[in-house]
Amino acid sequence: QVRLVESGGGSVQAGGSLRLSCAASGYIINTGCAGWFRQAPGKERERLACIDTLGTTRYPESVKGRFTISRDNAKNTLYLQMNSLKPEDTAMYYCAADSRDGGYCPGDWRRYNFWGQGTQVTVSS
């Protein structure tokens, strides 16, 4: 059974930082694409960062330069370092993995077949 368990969310003031972790079990995260997503109430789920089997990372313009995705293969854990947080970053954050696309990272969140339960991030002004 595959489990992805996020941690590290919380409340922070604008300009602050948080580091999210996603511990995986039942699946080796570097054998496929892994990514971080977020969803705010009433908004579409958004991909924030992804890392493929070669270690190539991708970010949308909205977080580029502020967020960094990484993974620790020995711990089978995915991370998201978030700096310079803004109130508009407030959302539920999820980690996800895609084992079906040969390590390529799809943009459509529906392609990701393993998901964590989410961790809330709240940024106050």
Side-chain angles (χ1 to χ4, degrees), residues 18 20 33-38 46-52 55-71 78-83 89 93 105-107 112:
L18 284 173
L20 305 183
C33 174
W36 287 95
F37 297 75
R38 70 184 176 192
E46 173 188 18
R47 191 183 74 179
L48 300 174
C50 65
I51 182 167
D52 66 17
T56 302
T57 58
R58 293 180 178 83
Y59 307 89
E61 287 300 320
S62 59
V63 305
K64 193 175 292 184
R66 298 191 298 127
F67 291 9
T68 303
I69 189 171
S70 62
R71 67 181 175 218
L78 189 71
Y79 301 98
L80 184 69
Q81 177 67 42
M82 304 187 294
N83 299 327
D89 293 319
Y93 284 65
C105 286
Y112 293 75

Side-chain angles (χ1 to χ4, degrees), residues 97-111:
D98 171 28
S99 67
R100 302 177 295 191
D101 287 293
Y104 162 77
C105 286
D108 187 346
W109 63 267
R110 298 167 186 84
R111 291 297 306 164

